[in-house]
């Protein structure tokens, strides 16, 4: 099934977790992806929060698969900053393979953050954000 951003925003947390568990890791992506934060999934606030974050804070990521790194697009101007290492590893959600976005050795600002992504549709990834080992939010990336 092909998914879109609105479908993910409408899902409950359990549905997002189930979709992540059922999805393959896919290949480590390369290039620029538009990102959407998914906070309070399935509620009437989800879309408003996503739009606010996209405008003021985070717009997505730019991957360099060849070198195993990425930069986030942040601020209203889409500044490329906050670097992460990118590699395949075991998910903290279910222990199965995923693509890990690891900030622990590359960022002073986000060194306690770890993201995990899996491919849910062609050029479309669902992600989980962890602060330490604590799950924070979900997000999606469209290439």
């Amino acid at each position: 099934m092909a998914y879109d951003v609105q479908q993910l925003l409408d899902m409950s947390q359990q549905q997002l977790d189930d979709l992540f568990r059922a999805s393959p890791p896919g290949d480590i992506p390369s290039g620029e992806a538009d990102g959407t934060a998914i906070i309070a999934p399935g509620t009437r606030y989800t879309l408003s929060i996503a739009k606010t974050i996209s405008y003021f804070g985070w717009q997505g990521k730019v991957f360099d698969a060849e070198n195993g790194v990425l930069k986030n697009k942040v601020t209203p101007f889409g500044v490329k900053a906050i670097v992460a290492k990118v590699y395949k590893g075991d998910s903290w959600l279910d222990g199965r393979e995923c693509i890990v976005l690891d900030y622990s050795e590359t960022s002073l600002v986000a060194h306690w953050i770890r993201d995990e992504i899996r491919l849910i549709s062609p050029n479309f990834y669902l992600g989980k954000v962890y602060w330490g080992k604590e799950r924070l939010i979900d997000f999606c990336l469209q290439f």
Side-chain angles (χ1 to χ4, degrees):
M1 176 176 177
Y3 291 93
D4 62 36
V5 172
Q6 189 59 55
Q7 286 174 297
L8 298 184
L9 293 173
D10 291 339
M11 288 183 178
S12 69
Q13 186 63 62
Q14 185 63 52
Q15 289 171 314
L16 290 168
D17 291 349
D18 290 347
L19 177 57
F20 188 86
R21 285 184 184 101
S23 299
D27 294 329
I28 294 175
S30 202
E32 194 161 330
D34 292 328
T36 302
I38 305 172
I39 299 173
T43 70
R44 65 182 189 167
Y45 306 107
T46 309
L47 181 59
S48 297
I49 293 168
K51 286 181 178 180
T52 301
I53 289 171
S54 180
Y55 183 77
F56 291 108
W58 176 76
Q59 293 86 33
K61 300 178 185 293
V62 180
F63 286 79
D64 177 353
E66 186 175 322
N67 292 303
V69 296
L70 68 76
K71 290 183 181 177
N72 284 274
K73 296 186 296 183
V74 295
T75 78
F77 306 106
V79 174
K80 294 175 180 101
I82 312 176
V83 176
K85 287 185 177 179
V86 181
Y87 54 88
K88 289 194 175 180
D90 293 337
S91 170
W92 288 353
L93 184 71
D94 62 10
R96 292 182 38 245
E97 187 177 56
C98 67
I99 299 169
V100 176
L101 317 178
D102 182 353
Y103 297 86
S104 65
E105 298 175 12
T106 57
S107 174
L108 291 174
V109 175
H111 69 275
W112 54 87
I113 300 292
R114 170 188 164 115
D115 298 341
E116 299 178 352
I117 62 173
R118 286 192 177 140
L119 186 67
I120 59 169
S121 291
N123 301 312
F124 196 38
Y125 290 79
L126 174 60
K128 306 287 181 187
V129 178
Y130 292 86
W131 176 303
K133 290 258 182 170
E134 189 81 21
R135 278 191 35 209
L136 286 182
I137 66 168
D138 292 75
F139 66 95
C140 60
L141 297 169
Q142 278 188 300
F143 287 83

